[in-house]
Structure formats: C-alpha cells, structure tokens
Amino acid sequence: MSPTRTCLAIVLAAGEGTRMKSARPKVLHEIGGQSMLAHVLGAVAKAGAQATAVVIGPDRADVAAAAQKAAPQAQIFTQTERLGTAHAVLAAKAALAQPYDDVLVLFADTPLVTSETLSRLRDALADGAVLAALGFEPDDPTGYGRLLVANGELVAIREHKDASEAERQVGLCNAGLMALSGKHALSLLEAIGNNNVQKEFYLTDAVEVARKAKLKAVHVVAAAQEVMGVNDRVQLAAADAVFQNRMRENSMREGATLTAPETVFFSHDTKLGRDVLVEPNVVFGPGCVVEDGAIIHAFSHLEGATVRGGATVGPFARLRPGADLGKGAKVGNFVEIKSALVGAGAKISHLTYIGDASIGAEANIGAGTITCNYDGYNKFKTEIGAGAFIGSNSSLVAPVKIGDGAYVGSGSVITKDVPADSLALARGGQVEKAGWAARFRADMASRPKKRP
Ligand code: UD1
Ligand code: CA
C-alpha cells in the first residue's frame, strides 16, 4: 500500500441481531473482553484509515457511545430504514463526499478481519482497480453471495437468493467487506438499484455498475476463519475460539511458554513478556501485563493485574484490578489480591486476602492474613513496610500501618499502627492447666458408658 494514499473506513453496525436473543445490540457482544465493533475499529486504525464512519441503526445511543469510545474521531451516521448494504453505506454520504483515495466498507459483525487483509484490499486499488471485494471459501457456501470471476477480474457478486443453479455451484463467496476507489465510490453506490429478490440496495451490485462503466473490479481471498460473521451465540463462541488461538500463537511467538495453550484464555489486550511460563487453565481478563520471566501457575485468574519480572503467581491465585506484583514477588495458592502494590521479593504464599494495600519489598505475609479493608460503607488502606513479617491468621483492620521490619504475632487482630522493628501481639493470652487432660480422661473412663 502506498503510504501516501488516504483512506476512509465505513463500518456497518446497523444489524438487528435478533438471533443473539439479547438485550444488548449484536455488535456490542464481546470477543476476548472487547466488543466486536471495537475489534473492527481497531483493525481499521491499524490499516491506516485517516477517517472512520460508523453506521448505526435508529435509537442506538449505546452503539454510538461504544464506537466513540473505541475510536474518538469516528463520525456516527444513522441508517433509519434497513434497505440493504449499499443503502447503509450511503448513510455515510457526507463522509464519502470527502476526497479519500480509498474507501473500506466493513461489517461490525465480522470481527476477526486483520489489518493485513484490509491492506491487501487497498493494494488492489493502488494497482488500478476501482473495487476490490473480499472472497473466501467456506465449507458450506449456502446463503452467501458468490464471486463470479472471469479472466482474473470480478464480473459480478450474485446473492444466493438471486443466483441461478449454476452460480450456486461456485464455492468462492463474498465475505461482505470491500474496498472502493474514493473517486468513484459515491457514483457507483448511487447507481445501484433494488431490482432483486429482497428488494434491497445491494452493495455487491457495485461490481456490475463498475463493469458497465468499464472500470476494473477484482477480488482478494481471505481465510474463512478470518471473515466469519457472527449472527448468534454459537458463532460468537466460534469466533472467540479463533481469536483465542491467535492470541495463544502470538504470545508463544513472542517468547512465552504455554504448557497447554488450548486451556489458557486471553483478553484482547493481554501482554506476556519473554520467558513467561503460563501453566494450564489460566484466565486473563482485560488489562493484564506479565513481564519477562514471570510464572503463572495453573488455575489462576488475573484481571487488570501487572506481574513484574520473575514474580510467581498461583496455583489457584486470583489477581483483581490494581494488583501490581513487584519483581520476584510470590503470590501462592488461594490468595486474592486487589488494588495493592506488592513490593519486590515479598511473599504472600497461602490463603490470604490483600485489598487496598501496599506491601514493602521482602515482606512476608503469613497464611490466612486478611486485610479488613471495608466497613460496609468505605474502603480503607493497609500499609505494610519493607521486610515486615505478618504472622499467620492475622487480621489487619484498616486504616492501619505496619512499620518496616515489624513483626505481628500469629492470630493477631491489629487495629493500631505498629512501629518499625517492633512486635505487636493482639490475641487472647494462653492459659495452661497442668494435668487437666489426664484427669478429664480418667474421670470419663470411670463413668458407665451411655448407650446411643
Ligand atoms: C452480505 C452480502 C453477501 C455476503 C454476506 C457475508 C450484500 C448484499 N450481501 O449478505 O454477499 O456473502 O454479507 O456475510 O452485501 N446492514 C446494514 N443495513 C442494511 C443491511 C445490512 O447496516 O440495510 C449491515 C448488517 O448489519 C450486517 C451487514 O450489513 O453487518 C451485512 O448485512 P446482512 O443483511 O447480514 O447481509 P447478508 O445477507 O448476510
Ligand atoms: Ca449476514
């Protein structure tokens, strides 16, 4: 693609999505923790589009807001009546009237398309075509438009419903996405009629309009997986599976080891460094960064968490948003961490809740430690100093500070700040009664046994 060519992307997001059976519009359903619409807007940005138009259905403030959030510069247009894909593109006429070299048309319910494929469509325009359609070969072509090709040029796209028996034998199908020369886009689209079975204005008819004007139309082929459309939740899961495989493969190619990749689940923005080891059955929610050399043991769940170099997590750990583990820190089994900075080399090895806290470097947090951060109304902070040692089964009632190098005796309920290098004990004192157990047993043995 010539870097000097400008590009407008038009994303059609006016789908009704009734087959999702959802209160949520179809294009806002998520893949890898990100809406399908945002996936498409991301691909468009990566393909170098200078301007983006999103065409939504009437009364879809939620879709408009999501589009604006994913692409703040995007212009929103409303298609008030659903009269076909060409009609939908023309809803963005004000954007189309601007002088762009390339116009890309995408469907928001075809979320896995890559920027590389979009660039290939643009390359075809740079090579002299006025239209480049995206083709693929599905296992079952029923229902798709067919690409009719002759002598290396695209002659027509025939919708399944309008196709003859012979045309239905064609296996090369229309993915729906298209690149149009900006110079010709508006006139091509405006020349499209609705003389077809569905009485719709088909975007696909732009091919025949172009041919009649002696302009060149071509096609580019993509893998079927990349252009799969999502109409129901079964297809949503299938698209998510493809997306997960991409993320797994990318992370491994970038130097992470996944021992059982098919059991690790990513979000769209998960970042794994080099020599990271991820054991089986790990889930990454949005916003996770795992730096070089860290280990995520089996059955851990992370979301909005940063794991710095050489730190270890799990097995069976939960890192919630704002968990930030310093270099070489250790978070072990059945530990939950939320909004907490954990210093380098600190150890929280078992059965602990740390929330709204900071933990100094090399501190040791014993099994069963709980930061009591919430009184039912407000959250409070716990600060634990560097090198502090919290004995097992302690409750730290926030707001509270444990000084550097301080010790907290096991089983303490700490309600007051503990100065550096001191020992705090806050538990019932121990009482001993010498010989009591022996006397008790003797007494019990002397009594007649009760029958149940
Ligand atoms: C379309 C293509 C077909 C292709 C198929 C791939 C046309 C005429 N047909 O058919 O060749 O094989 O996609 O899945 O383009 N939309 C609007 N407004 C409308 C109509 C559609 O915004 O008035 C949007 C939909 O939300 C959807 C996309 O355009 O995202 C495709 O529309 P749809 O009705 O699903 O087209 P298909 O019949 O599947
Ligand atoms: Ca469709």
Side-chain angles (χ1 to χ4, degrees), residues 74-343:
Q75 287 177 272
I76 311 291
F77 297 92
T78 302
Q79 184 195 24
T80 39
E81 276 181 292
R82 218 168 174 276
L83 300 179
T85 44
H87 180 260
V89 176
L90 279 172
K93 193 171 168 177
L96 271 169
Q98 303 301 311
Y100 294 102
D101 296 313
D102 303 341
V103 175
L104 283 170
V105 178
L106 301 98
F107 297 167
D109 64 359
T110 306
L112 299 176
V113 70
T114 62
S115 57
E116 290 78 17
T117 295
L118 299 179
S119 296
R120 284 197 293 136
L121 286 170
R122 294 186 64 192
D123 287 344
L125 299 186
D127 287 345
V130 300
L131 184 159
L134 191 61
F136 71 115
E137 296 194 43
D139 293 336
D140 178 9
T142 310
Y144 291 109
R146 305 300 205 286
L147 299 190
L148 308 181
V149 179
N151 304 321
E153 289 194 22
L154 188 58
V155 177
I157 303 177
R158 192 77 70 234
E159 288 308 290
H160 183 89
K161 287 179 180 155
D162 299 297
S164 67
E165 257 327 299
E167 287 167 341
R168 287 184 183 179
Q169 299 309 309
V170 173
L172 184 61
C173 292
N174 178 30
L177 286 68
M178 195 179 274
L180 294 161
S181 142
K183 198 169 141 206
H184 297 92
L186 204 48
S187 61
L188 293 178
L189 290 163
E190 286 183 329
I192 291 170
N194 66 346
N195 183 21
N196 53 56
V197 174
Q198 303 189 87
K199 295 281 166 268
E200 281 187 11
F201 296 89
Y202 290 161
L203 173 63
T204 46
D205 283 350
V207 175
E208 280 160 293
V209 173
R211 298 278 301 182
K212 276 195 196 113
K214 305 264 181 274
L215 298 167
K216 188 175 168 190
V218 297
H219 77 283
V220 162
V221 178
Q225 282 199 335
E226 187 186 336
V227 293
M228 93 177 24
V230 172
N231 296 304
D232 59 30
R233 295 186 198 241
V234 176
Q235 291 170 335
L236 183 70
D240 197 67
V242 171
F243 176 76
Q244 291 300 336
N245 277 332
R246 269 190 202 169
M247 293 297 288
R248 291 165 187 148
E249 227 180 280
N250 281 346
S251 68
M252 291 187 283
R253 294 202 189 288
E254 291 301 318
T257 294
L258 310 185
T259 37
E262 67 284 5
T263 68
V264 177
F265 292 85
F266 288 81
S267 283
H268 62 102
D269 58 355
T270 305
K271 289 191 182 66
L272 304 187
R274 288 188 174 203
D275 296 312
V276 163
L277 168 63
V278 182
E279 290 183 355
N281 297 298
V282 169
V283 175
F284 293 103
C288 289
V289 177
V290 181
E291 294 182 356
D292 294 357
I295 300 176
I296 314 296
H297 291 292
F299 295 100
S300 293
H301 189 286
L302 295 80
E303 184 184 357
T306 301
V307 179
R308 299 188 190 274
T312 67
V313 174
F316 299 99
R318 179 168 186 211
L319 301 186
R320 291 172 52 204
D324 185 333
L325 308 193
K327 286 201 164 76
K330 181 186 175 197
V331 166
N333 46 274
F334 307 109
V335 171
E336 174 179 340
I337 301 202
K338 182 214 74 164
S339 295
L341 277 174
V342 176

Side-chain angles (χ1 to χ4, degrees), residues 339 341 355-358 373 379-383 397-401:
S339 295
L341 277 174
D356 304 307
S358 65
N373 60 328
K379 301 276 169 72
F380 300 97
K381 214 179 160 198
T382 301
E383 292 171 52
V397 182
V400 72
K401 285 185 195 173

